[in-house]
Amino acid sequence: PTSKRAPASTMRHLLVEWKEAVPDRRPKTVSAFEATVAEFEKVVGKKPAEQLCREDIVCFCDAMGRSGNHYRTSEKKLTFIKALLNRAVRRGTLSSSPAEGVRIDKPKVSAPGRVSYEPEDLRRIFASPLYAERHRPRAGGGEAAAWIPALGAFTGARLEELAQLRVDDVKSKDGIDYLLITDIAEGAKVKTEASRRRLPVHPQLVSAGLLHYCERMKGEGAVWLFPVLTPDANGIRSAAWSKWWGRYARAKIGITERSKVFHSFRHAFADACDDAGISGKVTRALMRSEEHTSELQ
């Protein structure tokens, strides 16, 4: 018997099938896909996927450009649409993807993205009341307000990787203290499989009392290193903290550039490694900066 293609559905149906195929997809990724499909349907309409043509995809790209989306944001949203259509092709729902070969036009002069904290920024951060006066704002998660920036500066780790550390993730082996970045605990997630790694604890963090703080939290029966931080609707423990840090950095520290956010610690760490002559291979191993798209498949 000859095989027949299943009738194509709307992008909304393709989205539902994509979600059901892998039930444990990251909530943040699912939300991003849902928002993109809603935006797509506002522009193109809710026509069956098999009736979509290349012009529809181009029209969506043009609409994103007119709405003021950053080039990278538009590129990511187009990737989401392509992922759903390509999956439909692989499953035989579509014979081909109308998004094949469509690209976002890259501007000649890109809008500024996230940038590094400069040495002067770091001096101001670590001379702020968080450190000079041991100020612990409730909105900053108590001790998390001071420890997370310090960890970001000396590890280059992503914000959520630090926010979801457990007390048992601070370990020692062969005389080397390290942080275990993993997703083995319930509620913990990593960006990609390659993000699972061990990060050596810098001597400055030891001198500042990180290990003593960890022992104190253990003694109090805490599971999470920063127990005041709680996950949002998407399971992200750092969501509220990230917003607090943006406000605090602008109002209390005086870092007003919108391009300088917590992720700027990560860029600064990479710059510091480069300045110290550390090989790119070692820096990438520490940061796991390679980007993967496995969740899109």
Side-chain angles (χ1 to χ4, degrees):
T2 58
S3 60
K4 296 182 179 180
R5 287 190 293 109
S9 303
T10 64
M11 289 297 297
R12 181 70 54 179
H13 291 123
L14 297 183
L15 172 65
V16 171
E17 292 175 355
W18 171 83
K19 288 195 297 184
E20 292 178 345
V22 183
D24 61 344
R25 293 187 191 277
R26 297 175 68 207
K28 187 175 180 180
T29 302
V30 173
S31 295
F33 267 71
E34 290 173 338
T36 299
V37 169
E39 185 178 344
F40 180 84
E41 290 185 335
K42 280 185 179 180
V43 176
V44 177
K46 299 181 180 180
K47 62 173 65 176
E50 62 185 4
Q51 294 180 15
L52 292 173
C53 61
R54 184 183 181 87
E55 286 71 21
D56 292 322
I57 310 300
V58 172
C59 182
F60 174 59
C61 294
D62 292 342
M64 287 193 291
R66 290 193 300 270
S67 67
N69 276 311
H70 187 277
Y71 160 71
R72 293 295 184 189
T73 301
S74 295
E75 193 172 50
K76 181 180 290 186
K77 290 178 179 178
L78 177 58
T79 300
F80 293 164
I81 296 299
K82 285 184 174 182
L84 295 177
L85 293 171
N86 288 339
R87 183 177 183 278
V89 171
R90 291 197 302 273
R91 295 186 62 81
T93 305
L94 293 176
S95 58
S96 62
S97 169
E100 184 68 31
V102 177
R103 300 286 184 272
I104 298 292
D105 292 330
K106 187 174 183 178
K108 291 183 179 180
V109 180
S110 299
R114 295 166 175 170
V115 298
S116 298
Y117 281 135
E118 298 171 8
E120 179 58 28
D121 297 323
L122 295 173
R123 280 191 286 271
R124 293 167 72 175
I125 289 170
F126 293 111
S128 72
L130 293 174
Y131 303 95
E133 303 170 15
R134 294 188 59 79
H135 182 49
R136 298 294 184 264
R138 182 176 179 82
E143 288 295 328
W147 281 116
I148 288 182
L151 286 165
F154 284 98
T155 66
R158 300 176 179 89
L159 174 54
E160 183 62 14
E161 292 175 338
L162 299 173
Q164 68 179 18
L165 283 171
R166 302 166 304 154
V167 292
D168 288 341
D169 291 332
V170 183
K171 298 180 177 293
S172 181
K173 184 177 181 180
D174 298 329
I176 299 175
D177 301 306
Y178 67 92
L179 305 177
L180 183 63
I181 304 298
T182 183
D183 56 348
I184 60 176
E186 183 177 356
K189 298 178 177 64
V190 291
K191 186 169 185 179
T192 68
E193 290 184 11
S195 297
R196 302 184 185 107
R197 63 198 187 281
R198 297 177 182 179
L199 286 176
V201 175
H202 195 282
Q204 288 281 12
L205 293 173
V206 176
S207 298
L210 177 63
L211 303 183
H212 292 300
Y213 168 71
C214 182
E215 287 302 316
R216 175 161 66 86
M217 298 312 295
K218 282 184 179 179
E220 294 177 3
V223 174
W224 303 96
L225 193 58
F226 307 113
V228 178
L229 304 184
T230 55
D232 66 359
N234 291 322
I236 307 300
R237 302 185 71 87
S238 62
W241 193 96
S242 178
K243 294 177 182 177
W244 168 81
W245 175 253
R247 296 192 302 269
Y248 188 88
R250 290 191 295 271
K252 301 296 184 181
I253 301 176
I255 300 176
T256 58
E257 296 176 53
R258 293 286 177 174
S259 58
K260 291 182 178 179
V261 294
F262 185 85
H263 206 76
S264 297
F265 281 118
R266 189 164 165 83
H267 290 294
F269 180 84
D271 291 343
C273 288
D274 186 53
D275 292 342
I278 296 174
S279 73
K281 183 177 181 180
V282 172
T283 301
R284 288 191 295 273
L286 289 170
M287 301 178 68
R288 286 296 191 265
S289 58
E290 298 87 352
E291 299 297 328
H292 298 271
T293 59
S294 58
E295 277 207 88
L296 307 183
Q297 305 307 317

